[in-house]
Amino acid sequence: MATKTTTAKSAATRTPKEENALKELFIDELKDIYWAEQHLVKVLPKMAKGATSDELKQAINDHLEQTKNHVSRLESAFESIGEKAKAVKCEAMAGLLKEADELLEETDKGTEVRDVAIISASQKVEHYEIASYGTLKTLAGVLGFTEAQKLLDETLQEEKAADSLLTQVAENYVNEAAAAE
Ligand code: FE
Ligand code: ZN
Ligand code: FE
């Protein structure tokens, strides 16, 4: 086996056991992101409320609506592969949101630095989601879960757009600050 590479195999060469292991990983990751999205629905209103600028408040509130949709898309993805939707605590998202909470505590309401902190925390969340959905989408393709793959890709594109919008909001801050000088 020493000469064999560890790159992904095609379905034809995968044993049923290997196929099953990949499917299990896929379902575990679905449960993880399902928890993460549900948790975000609870936490995003607090982040929007804590934001200073209307632009950032709006961006977070818009993404909150999308996030609710991410939850239901995941439910559809579970359904499409005949699995019951189940959430398993995502320690990574829990940690990211704990840090976001700390940033809110450490910065004063109504300040620019508060918004920069919120943007930073939000982008870390988006990047985690982008990584998760990217992998999930690929795995769905490998496993032949076409419907799930389509749903996961839709959410992936929205996470990417949300991340770009946050970058835009951050850049607007920098430009405003420069213009005020
Ligand atoms: Fe999401
Ligand atoms: Zn996780
Ligand atoms: Fe998101």
Side-chain angles (χ1 to χ4, degrees):
M1 290 291 259
T3 54
K4 242 185 172 178
T5 61
T6 52
T7 47
K9 298 174 184 180
S10 70
T13 59
R14 216 176 288 124
T15 67
K17 197 178 165 219
E18 289 169 329
E19 185 83 9
N20 238 337
L22 276 183
K23 189 182 169 187
E24 246 175 65
L25 175 68
F26 177 72
I27 293 167
D28 283 350
E29 297 264 315
L30 266 187
K31 290 175 180 170
D32 179 278
I33 199 75
Y34 186 48
W35 187 95
E37 296 281 23
Q38 284 180 321
H39 203 63
L40 276 167
V41 169
K42 287 184 212 156
V43 171
L44 285 176
K46 191 182 171 189
M47 281 167 77
K49 199 165 166 267
T52 303
S53 81
D54 289 336
E55 192 188 16
L56 183 56
K57 271 183 201 290
Q58 189 64 53
I60 297 170
N61 279 323
D62 288 350
H63 196 53
L64 170 63
E65 290 315 305
Q66 287 184 321
T67 301
K68 290 176 187 168
N69 210 6
H70 297 173
V71 171
S72 41
R73 259 193 215 126
L74 285 169
E75 286 161 359
S76 304
F78 275 111
E79 212 194 310
S80 76
I81 60 165
E83 288 288 323
K84 233 181 117 211
K86 190 173 171 252
V88 173
K89 186 177 180 184
C90 172
E91 296 292 348
M93 186 59 78
L96 287 172
L97 294 175
K98 186 169 170 278
E99 284 195 4
D101 222 40
E102 284 165 9
L103 283 171
L104 281 178
E105 270 168 36
E106 287 162 10
T107 53
D108 293 325
K109 203 172 159 54
T111 60
E112 183 188 68
V113 69
R114 159 67 69 90
D115 278 9
V116 175
I118 291 176
I119 292 168
S120 163
S122 303
Q123 286 198 289
K124 287 175 189 175
V125 167
E126 294 315 316
H127 284 218
Y128 179 80
E129 290 184 294
I130 290 166
S132 300
Y133 281 107
T135 305
L136 279 164
K137 178 194 152 185
T138 303
L139 272 175
V142 165
L143 292 161
F145 298 147
T146 325
E147 174 65 14
Q149 188 183 22
K150 194 184 119 249
L151 293 162
L152 293 163
D153 187 51
E154 277 168 18
T155 298
L156 176 62
Q157 299 315 319
E158 287 179 6
E159 306 294 13
K160 285 182 180 172
D163 180 53
S164 301
L165 182 62
L166 286 165
T167 299
Q168 194 55 56
V169 174
E171 278 169 6
N172 289 349
Y173 260 109
V174 175
N175 293 337
E176 273 167 36
E181 270 171 23

